[in-house]
């Protein structure tokens, strides 16, 4: 005799139990089928991000166009994975890059290693590095994920850019020569 024949009647699966389980599953399936869809069409529609979301890094500038980064390397020291490289250089009166004595000659972030923790932003004494809301960081090669200073810097303010773009008028040919009295 098989084990199923030795079981009492109350332990044997009945056809009614099977039909009940099937009906319960169909109820769940049909309930989902007729519920409204909440799919976001990603490239066209983007879901809103939290205010505290930390995405791509940016290096900020002052309103006069000078870079905020003073090359102190505190962001690199605070980074738990070591993805930031800062090489500082001295400012000169002829080539003023930042308001301090030093500026970041080289500033690189390896975005493949970055964990977007925000420690670099917290460590910066002049709020030069900030993490923005941009989260679409895909690319085709690993080399493109090394963000250099040029890629990280905010663009110049419009009035400063207009002054730089404006051609400087050349002095007239005999401007320095005056008539002797």
């Amino acid at each position: 005799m098989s084990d199923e024949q030795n079981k009492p009647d109350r332990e044997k699966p009945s056809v009614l139990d099977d039909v009940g389980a099937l009906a319960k599953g169909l109820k769940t399936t049909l309930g989902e089928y007729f519920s409204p869809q909440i799919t976001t069409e990603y490239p066209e529609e983007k879901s809103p991000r939290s205010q505290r979301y930390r995405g791509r890094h940016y290096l900020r500038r002052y309103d006069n166009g000078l870079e905020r980064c003073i090359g102190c390397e505190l962001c690199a020291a605070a980074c738990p994975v070591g993805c930031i490289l800062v090489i500082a250089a001295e400012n000169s009166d002829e080539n003023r890059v930042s308001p301090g004595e030093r500026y970041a000659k080289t500033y690189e972030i390896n975005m493949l290693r970055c964990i977007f923790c925000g420690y670099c932003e917290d460590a910066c004494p002049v709020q030069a590095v900030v993490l923005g809301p941009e989260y679409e960081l895909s690319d085709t090669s690993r080399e493109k994920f090394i963000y250099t200073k040029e890629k990280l810097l905010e663009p110049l303010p419009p009035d400063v850019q207009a002054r730089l773009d404006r051609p400087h008028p050349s002095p007239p040919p005999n401007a320095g020569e005056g008539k002797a009295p």
Side-chain angles (χ1 to χ4, degrees):
M1 281 192 155
S2 68
D3 291 335
E4 197 168 302
Q5 291 176 349
N6 289 338
K7 289 183 180 178
D9 288 337
R10 64 182 183 275
E11 292 184 19
K12 287 184 184 177
S14 69
V15 175
L16 289 176
D17 291 338
D18 294 341
V19 171
L22 180 62
K24 185 176 177 183
L26 283 175
K27 177 184 170 201
T28 303
T29 302
L30 292 174
E32 288 296 319
Y33 180 76
F34 290 113
S35 66
Q37 292 183 345
I38 52 172
T39 303
T40 302
E41 300 296 329
Y42 168 64
E44 292 82 22
E45 299 174 26
K46 295 183 177 152
S47 60
R49 297 282 148 232
S50 166
Q51 290 285 29
R52 294 177 38 166
Y53 180 79
R54 295 187 295 260
R56 182 189 184 281
H57 298 70
Y58 292 94
L59 284 175
R60 296 176 55 210
R61 295 180 185 266
Y62 287 107
D63 292 336
N64 60 4
L66 291 177
E67 298 173 8
R68 284 183 179 252
C69 182
I70 56 174
C72 66
E73 302 178 31
L74 288 175
C75 54
C79 183
V81 293
C83 65
I84 300 175
L85 170 69
V86 180
I87 299 174
E90 297 292 324
N91 265 325
S92 64
D93 290 334
E94 303 85 39
N95 184 24
R96 174 80 37 197
V97 178
S98 72
E101 295 176 10
R102 299 174 0 154
Y103 71 97
K105 179 180 176 184
T106 303
Y107 196 103
E108 292 179 354
I109 299 178
N110 184 345
M111 297 301 278
L112 293 173
R113 295 187 68 191
C114 182
I115 59 174
F116 301 95
C117 62
Y119 289 172
C120 56
E121 184 177 24
D122 294 339
C124 186
V126 292
Q127 289 79 36
V129 62
V130 294
L131 280 75
E134 185 179 336
Y135 60 90
E136 297 169 326
L137 302 175
S138 62
D139 217 321
T140 56
S141 71
R142 296 178 68 84
E143 292 79 27
K144 293 181 181 178
F145 284 101
I146 307 294
Y147 283 22
T148 61
K149 182 178 175 180
E150 290 76 28
K151 190 169 183 178
L152 293 167
L153 267 175
E154 286 182 333
L156 286 168
D159 59 331
V160 174
Q161 187 65 44
R163 274 187 284 151
L164 292 174
D165 291 342
R166 187 174 36 203
H168 296 290
S170 58
N174 295 325
E177 301 171 13
K179 294 184 178 181

